[in-house]
Amino acid sequence: DLQYVVHYAAALAHYSRLMATNAAFAALEQRCRLSALNSKNYDMESFIVQPVQRVPRYILLLREILKHTPPAH
């Protein structure tokens, strides 16, 4: 959904404010980051940015596929 990208900056700013001002939120974020389910030790900011980064990657991937696909296909 494009709305996610539109509101990304505001979401990131809100996350940063919460990390700076809300000790309970920061503690929860740290527990989640250190959780066994989060094997790469990503913080919440890493998860927030993933959809924003994927759209350009998909566009580049599709362009490459089209470049190497025969016109008659």
Side-chain angles (χ1 to χ4, degrees):
D1 187 0
L2 191 55
Q3 290 299 316
Y4 188 92
V5 175
V6 170
H7 297 291
Y8 168 73
L12 192 56
H14 185 66
Y15 165 77
S16 295
R17 269 193 310 279
L18 282 172
M19 288 296 290
T21 62
N22 187 324
F25 181 82
L28 174 64
E29 195 274 348
Q30 183 177 15
R31 281 195 311 273
C32 291
R33 187 170 35 88
L34 299 175
S35 160
L37 297 175
N38 185 3
S39 63
K40 294 187 179 181
N41 204 15
Y42 288 140
D43 62 1
M44 184 66 70
E45 187 175 347
S46 299
F47 289 110
I48 293 171
V49 76
Q50 282 182 357
V52 175
Q53 292 174 333
R54 284 186 179 155
V55 171
R57 279 192 213 143
Y58 289 145
I59 292 170
L60 292 172
L61 175 63
L62 290 171
R63 284 185 183 152
E64 283 298 307
I65 291 170
L66 285 172
K67 186 175 15 172
H68 297 286
T69 302
H73 185 66

